[in-house]
Amino acid sequence: MTTTDIRTRLFAAVFALGVSAVFMATAIVPASPNGLVIA
């Protein structure tokens, strides 16, 4: 396993986590009492 492969896998994991976080945010925001809440 090369360093590039590790970096690619790490980037892919972070990217996937970020995408899922955005989906979670879009699911939670409309359900919040004040509508769009910026913490």
Side-chain angles (χ1 to χ4, degrees), residues 1-28:
M1 183 178 287
T2 62
T3 306
T4 306
D5 186 44
I6 294 171
R7 287 181 180 175
T8 302
R9 289 170 181 262
L10 186 63
F11 178 78
V14 171
F15 180 77
L17 193 65
V19 170
S20 64
V22 170
F23 277 113
M24 287 285 284
T26 55
I28 293 170

